[in-house]
């Protein structure tokens, strides 16, 4: 027969920007509660009964917490000893650790009337959108509308399986800047121009970067106005963006993955039963 569950008091902190508040919400909402993520992490501890976080203080959507508190009961399988405080701390924090910041670069080549004009050593390493020059100032204005925290449903893949992820993401950087050829200046005498779309975030939705780049190019071609891009964002519907608006994959590069010093440091000996560092656990696809 199983013994009584062990009860723990935990303290946790979080940035509330990407949460609907601390309390549990339905999982199909664009923003869900901090409690959803705590209990999802607790599932990884393999308890013999679901773990419920009984949170002491509510916070509203977007509100941060330096030290909220909750108690929870953990029932382990027969013959398994209760977790110690440090074991629980490290077990939960393993699944709640902060995400590294990822930077992608998308390379555009302007000045090609036809794909055959792309330099040999740039084939399949950039996208040369058809048509004339792009309106770079308009593209930069449109990029500003996508910065920050938004529901990016319009810019995720319309495939049904993509809907399982929360569509809320935070873009820290979306920048259009002059680029260069991968083999020096071989393109200059031909009047070709390289541009790079640089985007930075902790996580992205499936095909989000390529769909955003495609929409920005549509702005640069005059097929979309910056204000229309804002309207597409607010529709929160992946079907609102035409399929041909997705930029091809060959121009996209993972530029860097940045870890904070605390992510790379060996684990220290934290205070008993203290839980900290809540962040969303997500992956780039």
């Amino acid at each position: 027969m199983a013994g009584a569950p062990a009860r723990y008091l935990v303290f946790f902190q979080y940035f509330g920007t990407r949460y609907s508040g601390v309390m549990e919400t339905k999982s199909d909402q664009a923003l869900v509660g901090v409690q959803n993520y705590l209990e999802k992490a607790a599932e990884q501890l393999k308890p013999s009964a679901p773990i419920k976080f009984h949170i002491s203080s509510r916070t509203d959507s977007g509100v941060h917490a330096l030290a909220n508190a909750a108690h929870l009961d953990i029932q382990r399988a027969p013959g398994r000893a209760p977790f110690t405080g440090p074991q629980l701390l490290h077990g939960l924090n393993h699944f709640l650790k902060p995400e590294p910041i990822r930077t992608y670069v998308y390379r555009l080549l302007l000045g090609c009337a036809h794909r055959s004009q792309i330099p040999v050593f740039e084939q399949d390493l950039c996208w040369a959108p058809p048509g004339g020059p792009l309106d770079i100032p308009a593209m930069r204005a449109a990029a500003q509308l996508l910065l920050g925290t938004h529901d990016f449903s319009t810019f995720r893949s319309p495939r049904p399986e993509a809907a399982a992820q929360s569509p809320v993401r935070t873009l820290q950087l979306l920048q259009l800047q002059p680029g260069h050829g991968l083999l020096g200046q071989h393109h200059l005498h031909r009047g070709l121009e390289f541009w790079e779309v640089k985007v930075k975030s902790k996580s992205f939705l499936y095909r989000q970067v390529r769909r955003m780049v495609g929409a920005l190019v549509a702005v640069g071609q005059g097929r979309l106005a910056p204000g229309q891009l804002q309207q597409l964002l607010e529709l929160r519907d992946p079907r609102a963006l035409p399929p041909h608006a997705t930029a091809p994959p060959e121009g996209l590069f993972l530029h860097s993955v940045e870890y904070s010093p605390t992510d790379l440091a060996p684990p220290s000996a934290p205070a008993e039963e203290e839980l900290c560092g809540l962040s969303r656990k997500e992956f780039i696809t």
Side-chain angles (χ1 to χ4, degrees):
M1 179 178 294
R7 174 162 292 186
Y8 301 86
L9 172 66
V10 297
F11 299 91
F12 57 98
Q13 55 186 209
Y14 50 87
F15 289 102
T17 304
R18 298 172 64 192
Y19 301 101
S20 68
V22 71
M23 303 306 294
E24 182 180 19
T25 61
K26 293 181 179 179
S27 59
D28 59 354
Q29 292 186 197
L31 286 175
V32 295
V34 171
Q35 184 177 355
N36 295 65
Y37 291 97
L38 288 169
E39 292 177 357
K40 184 177 181 180
E43 291 174 7
Q44 308 304 316
L45 300 176
K46 309 299 182 185
S48 58
I51 295 175
K52 187 76 172 177
F53 278 72
H54 300 273
I55 297 174
S56 65
S57 182
R58 291 176 177 265
T59 55
D60 293 333
S61 178
V63 176
H64 316 301
L66 296 176
N68 207 335
H71 78 266
L72 59 151
D73 298 321
I74 301 180
Q75 177 73 63
R76 302 199 74 190
R80 303 294 299 274
F83 290 113
T84 65
Q87 285 174 333
L88 179 62
L89 168 74
H90 292 300
L92 288 174
N93 272 346
H94 177 74
F95 299 103
L96 296 170
K97 59 188 178 183
E99 290 297 309
I101 297 173
R102 296 158 172 91
T103 300
Y104 278 85
V105 169
Y106 196 98
R107 301 179 71 241
L108 298 170
L109 176 58
L110 309 185
C112 291
H114 188 270
R115 180 175 173 82
S116 62
Q117 296 178 340
I118 300 176
V120 171
F121 293 103
E122 296 291 348
Q123 294 281 347
D124 298 324
L125 296 174
C126 61
W127 178 31
L134 298 181
D135 185 342
I136 300 297
M139 294 174 68
R140 285 173 166 163
Q144 292 299 308
L145 300 174
L146 299 178
L147 283 174
T149 301
H150 304 282
D151 181 325
F152 282 97
S153 291
T154 297
F155 296 96
R156 70 180 174 188
S157 169
R159 297 192 327 190
E161 56 267 34
Q165 290 182 298
S166 168
V168 178
R169 295 292 186 272
T170 301
L171 293 188
Q172 301 178 9
L173 178 73
L174 182 56
Q175 183 181 73
L176 187 64
Q177 58 191 21
H180 54 81
L182 294 181
L183 289 180
Q185 309 299 314
H186 61 86
H187 61 286
L188 293 179
H189 69 283
R190 300 172 55 181
L192 303 181
E193 292 183 20
F194 285 95
W195 287 83
E196 295 179 351
V197 180
K198 193 172 188 179
V199 57
K200 181 182 294 189
S201 178
K202 287 186 176 180
S203 60
F204 296 92
L205 298 168
Y206 183 55
R207 293 195 177 171
Q208 178 184 350
V209 175
R210 288 170 54 197
R211 286 166 68 86
M212 290 191 304
V213 170
L216 290 176
V217 167
V219 170
Q221 293 172 330
R223 295 187 289 116
L224 281 177
Q228 289 176 293
L229 191 65
Q230 176 75 41
Q231 293 170 9
L232 285 171
L233 178 67
E234 293 172 354
L235 284 175
R236 302 179 181 179
D237 184 355
R239 298 167 298 179
L241 197 67
H244 64 266
T246 301
E250 54 263 26
L252 184 61
F253 292 77
L254 175 60
H255 180 271
S256 61
V257 181
E258 303 170 41
Y259 290 86
S260 70
T262 55
D263 293 335
L264 300 175
S268 58
E272 182 101 354
E273 300 178 341
E274 181 184 6
L275 170 64
C276 58
L278 179 62
S279 176
R280 296 184 63 184
K281 183 72 175 173
E282 292 160 338
F283 299 91
I284 297 178
T285 52

